Amino acid sequence: MVVRTESAERADRIFHALGDATRREIVALTLAGEYSVSDLARRFPMSFAAVQKHVAVLEQAGLVTKERQGREQRVRGNADSLREAHRLLDQLADLWRGRIDRIGTIIADSEPDSDPAPHPREGKEHSHDRDRRSEEP
């Protein structure tokens, strides 16, 4: 049984949202400045509704905030959520570095300390070798 914590579910939402190129571009744009959803829709070769859906996914993940100003929805990037994503990636990197280090230690510990055993034919003279030498002129 897998137990899901709130922080794990949040991480899933963040990385799912960042898994799409259009959403990553929207985040980058809105971190640099505030845009209306209409302004964003004009920048992409898709419908207004499709851009609205992308913004909704980003908002649910906490990567952008939306605020109504009159008839417009203004979208602003949330740098704190990106810092959280960065922190989560650092934690995953540390976890995997530790696992790789442990694998390296296990491999090093399992390697023999001495030279490998000589090949069975090395250093031994067989009777057929002696026979060939006696036949040589």
Side-chain angles (χ1 to χ4, degrees), residues 12-99:
D12 288 347
R13 284 192 305 272
I14 289 172
F15 291 121
H16 168 74
L18 292 173
D20 181 87
T22 299
R23 290 193 287 264
R24 287 191 304 272
E25 191 170 342
I26 291 171
V27 169
L29 288 168
T30 59
L31 285 169
E34 189 176 291
Y35 288 83
S36 70
V37 176
S38 299
D39 291 338
L40 290 170
R42 283 191 283 275
R43 299 179 75 91
F44 297 96
M46 60 184 69
S47 68
F48 176 83
V51 172
Q52 272 186 314
K53 288 179 182 178
H54 282 301
V55 169
V57 170
L58 292 168
E59 186 178 29
Q60 288 170 351
L63 292 164
V64 299
T65 58
K66 235 174 22 177
E67 183 181 317
R68 181 169 290 283
Q69 289 181 351
R71 295 180 55 180
E72 291 186 332
Q73 292 279 336
R74 305 296 293 177
V75 183
R76 190 176 309 126
N78 182 352
D80 290 338
S81 288
L82 284 178
R83 280 190 280 278
E84 181 180 353
H86 190 275
R87 183 184 55 76
L88 291 168
L89 286 173
D90 283 344
Q91 288 175 351
L92 286 172
D94 289 343
L95 172 76
W96 281 104
R97 270 190 222 101
R99 288 179 178 178

